[in-house]
Amino acid sequence: MNTSSRQVNQRNTNHNPINLPHMNAPRKIWILAGIVAAVLVAGLAFFSFVNPSYDEEAALKMKPIFFGSTRVDGEPVNSITLVAPTTTAVYFNILPQKMQFQFDDLLSNDNTPLDVNMYMIIQVKKGQTPDLLRNYGENWFENFIEPYFRNKVREYVSSCSPFDLMSNREVLAKFDDRIKQSMRNYVAALSRKANFPIDIQQVITDRVMPNKEQLEEMNKTAASIQAKQTQEKRAEMELARAKAERNKAVADKAYMTELNLSPAQFIQLRAWDVIEKKNGANIDVLIGGGETPMWNIRR
């Protein structure tokens, strides 16, 4: 090869952008940074982030890319985490949650249909959400807690008086405590087979009312009872008044007999009493002691 050819080849080699050993340092750094950035962008396109809120914890459901079986990661996620494209996160609220229930036409011990509103305070135990997902799934509440709770409420309502459930707070407190203990025993029994990391904190009966048809009948009955009681009270008052008048008549007769007064004299005496007690009038002059005495009235 002649000298001219070697010079041309040398110039081509010096201008080859991928010939890193012969490049200057700044150019090498920029190219390497570009390669790293491209790799990162490509990686982010396939990976994703899990970022639970302050009141949440995530359990990771990990699927293999090619071979193997799906499993739940044993470590919960509490902060932002990069996960593989085949991994999904299931979020659990770890603060106490108020679960409300409405029951229609539950039969009491005398077959009175009742509408019952209740709620339960329940909390998922922090740090154990992977066990909850692995053992009982994402729908753990709908599949395990709610059906058992509804069954127990129905069972206990059937053993209670409707009037106690509607108005006796002591009976309601015992009723709530029985259901709470039953739920805790149920969770403990399941946990002996596979950890069920939840805590039943409270069960509270909010309201117990008869259903619409029953309430109308009860209102009619209550109205009839009230009317009867009103009539009885009125009759008692009339009887008391009649008794008082009879007693007054007996007293007046005894007074007449004691003073040896005629009926006309007694009536005249009572008239003086009435005039004396009349507002704004008094007896100024009284003349005569016969059957028709005279008096002067000053107002």
Side-chain angles (χ1 to χ4, degrees):
M1 184 180 294
N2 55 32
T3 303
S4 179
S5 299
R6 285 199 302 269
Q7 291 177 350
V8 172
N9 290 336
Q10 187 176 2
R11 285 197 300 269
N12 291 336
T13 302
N14 290 337
H15 290 85
N16 189 344
I18 62 172
N19 192 2
L20 296 180
H22 297 86
M23 290 182 182
N24 54 33
R27 193 167 185 180
K28 291 178 183 179
I29 293 174
W30 280 107
I31 292 176
L32 288 174
I35 295 173
V36 171
V39 172
L40 289 176
V41 170
L44 292 177
F46 290 98
F47 290 85
S48 60
F49 287 97
V50 175
N51 188 18
S53 179
Y54 75 96
D55 58 347
E56 293 178 328
E57 186 171 271
L60 300 180
K61 189 165 26 176
M62 307 173 72
K63 296 180 181 180
I65 298 178
F66 298 109
F67 303 103
S69 58
T70 301
R71 66 182 182 87
V72 175
D73 189 13
E75 292 297 323
V77 176
N78 299 103
S79 58
I80 186 169
T81 303
L82 186 67
V83 297
T86 57
T87 297
T88 56
V90 179
Y91 293 88
F92 296 92
N93 196 311
I94 55 177
L95 294 182
Q97 299 296 303
K98 180 180 179 180
M99 306 296 187
Q100 293 185 310
F101 300 86
Q102 182 174 346
F103 302 87
D104 296 327
D105 296 338
L106 296 184
L107 297 180
S108 62
N109 62 357
D110 65 353
N111 291 325
T112 299
L114 300 174
D115 293 341
V116 182
N117 290 341
M118 302 183 69
Y119 61 88
M120 176 169 52
I121 306 298
I122 189 170
Q123 184 175 17
V124 175
K125 296 179 180 179
K126 184 178 180 180
Q128 301 183 43
T129 52
D131 283 348
L132 183 57
L133 179 61
R134 184 186 305 109
N135 298 335
Y136 299 96
E138 299 180 41
N139 299 320
W140 57 273
F141 181 81
E142 294 81 0
N143 293 337
F144 293 93
I145 297 299
E146 184 175 6
Y148 190 85
F149 180 79
R150 288 187 175 276
N151 183 59
K152 281 300 174 183
V153 171
R154 188 176 296 107
E155 175 185 334
Y156 288 157
V157 166
S158 67
S159 66
C160 297
S161 161
F163 300 101
D164 284 339
L165 290 175
M166 286 188 288
S167 59
N168 193 325
R169 299 307 304 176
E170 183 178 353
V171 170
L172 276 180
K174 292 180 179 178
F175 174 78
D176 293 342
D177 187 63
R178 286 176 63 190
I179 296 178
K180 181 179 70 174
Q181 289 302 124
S182 295
M183 294 303 301
R184 286 182 171 178
N185 294 338
Y186 169 67
V187 171
L190 290 177
S191 293
R192 284 192 288 270
K193 301 177 182 178
N195 183 29
F196 200 172
I198 64 168
D199 180 29
I200 308 295
Q201 296 184 348
Q202 279 186 306
V203 172
I204 297 177
T205 301
D206 184 35
R207 189 183 67 171
V208 179
M209 293 289 291
N211 64 13
K212 183 178 179 181
E213 293 77 11
Q214 188 71 17
L215 183 60
E216 290 176 356
E217 291 299 323
M218 291 180 67
N219 288 337
K220 291 179 182 178
T221 302
S224 299
I225 293 175
Q226 184 62 43
K228 181 180 178 182
Q229 291 177 344
T230 301
Q231 292 172 357
E232 290 175 350
K233 289 294 182 181
R234 186 180 294 114
E236 290 176 1
M237 291 175 62
E238 294 295 337
L239 290 175
R241 180 182 174 187
K243 183 178 180 181
E245 293 294 338
R246 285 195 298 270
N247 291 337
K248 186 175 182 299
V250 171
D252 288 344
K253 188 174 182 180
Y255 182 74
M256 288 172 55
T257 302
E258 185 68 21
L259 295 181
N260 196 24
L261 298 174
S262 68
Q265 291 174 327
F266 178 76
I267 293 173
Q268 188 70 58
L269 183 62
R270 284 289 176 257
W272 297 342
D273 291 340
V274 171
I275 294 172
E276 182 183 8
K277 294 175 182 177
K278 184 175 180 60
N279 185 27
N282 63 6
I283 300 176
D284 186 33
V285 179
L286 178 63
I287 302 174
E291 291 291 327
T292 57
M294 300 176 59
W295 61 87
N296 179 36
I297 305 300
R298 183 178 65 186
R299 296 184 182 277

